[in-house]
Amino acid sequence: RRGEREGKTMGSGWCVQQEIAQNFLMMQTKPWPSPFVSVAAHDLVRLAVLLQLSTIFPLVCAIVRSQFFLYILATDYPGPIPVLFLNIFLVSCSSVVASLFPNAPGEVLSYAGAISGTLYVCLLPMLVHLSALSSRGQLTTLCLCLHILLMLFGTALFAHGLVGG
């Protein structure tokens, strides 16, 4: 084919799929002048990823634990034994998913990050502003319609970028 590159075709354009973190961690070429510096840099990056995972995963588990137990048992901390079983369950599920689908967690996180970024950038500030206007009694129909159009436009831009149009 004409202009064949590593990647996938989506529609009429090229969507070059680059998993930057994974490529950087598993790089086979020497990006640095000496092999020692290259190994040290890769080990430093692996240590940084380990540090990030050792701080993010417990935070996510704490949020899941409190929400789960509040919904099921109406308390956020039912004791060490139920928390231990929930943590074992969460670690087991994440390990199974990571081992069976090695590329899936990265793709899921990229979509989740894009969706939450769209919510934080396009929707949440305008919704807070509209709520403040409503509480002061200054919200008009024209203002509401314009803000809704802006939110729909931002979301449409996000969706357009997501499907590769």
Side-chain angles (χ1 to χ4, degrees), residues 13 38 54 95 140 143 154:
S38 176
S54 66
S95 298
T140 64
C143 181

Side-chain angles (χ1 to χ4, degrees), residues 7-155:
K8 298 178 182 177
T9 59
M10 293 181 72
S12 63
W14 288 98
C15 175
V16 180
Q17 184 179 18
Q18 295 178 350
E19 298 169 15
I20 295 172
Q22 197 171 39
N23 287 343
F24 187 74
L25 289 176
M26 305 308 285
M27 198 175 297
Q28 298 298 320
T29 60
K30 297 179 193 173
W32 304 98
S34 71
F36 175 73
V37 174
S38 176
V39 169
H42 287 108
D43 289 343
L44 185 64
V45 169
R46 286 188 178 110
L47 183 66
V49 169
L50 177 66
L51 179 66
Q52 181 183 12
L53 290 176
S54 66
T55 56
I56 297 297
F57 192 74
L59 179 66
V60 171
C61 283
I63 293 169
V64 168
R65 180 194 72 220
S66 66
Q67 294 296 312
F68 177 76
F69 286 130
L70 271 174
Y71 183 72
I72 299 297
L73 302 175
T75 179
D76 62 344
Y77 187 77
I81 301 299
V83 169
L84 177 68
F85 283 127
L86 181 66
N87 286 344
I88 290 172
F89 176 74
L90 291 175
V91 169
S92 300
C93 287
S94 62
S95 298
V96 166
V97 168
S99 63
L100 293 178
F101 308 105
N103 294 331
E107 291 177 11
V108 168
L109 286 176
S110 68
Y111 288 126
I115 290 170
S116 63
T118 299
L119 289 174
Y120 289 138
V121 171
C122 294
L123 302 178
L124 191 61
M126 285 188 257
L127 290 174
V128 170
H129 178 67
L130 289 174
S131 175
L133 286 176
S134 176
S135 67
R136 290 190 305 236
Q138 298 174 343
L139 183 62
T140 64
T141 306
L142 177 64
C143 181
L144 180 64
C145 289
L146 288 176
H147 280 83
I148 288 174
L149 283 174
L150 281 173
M151 287 186 270
L152 289 175
F153 180 68
T155 306

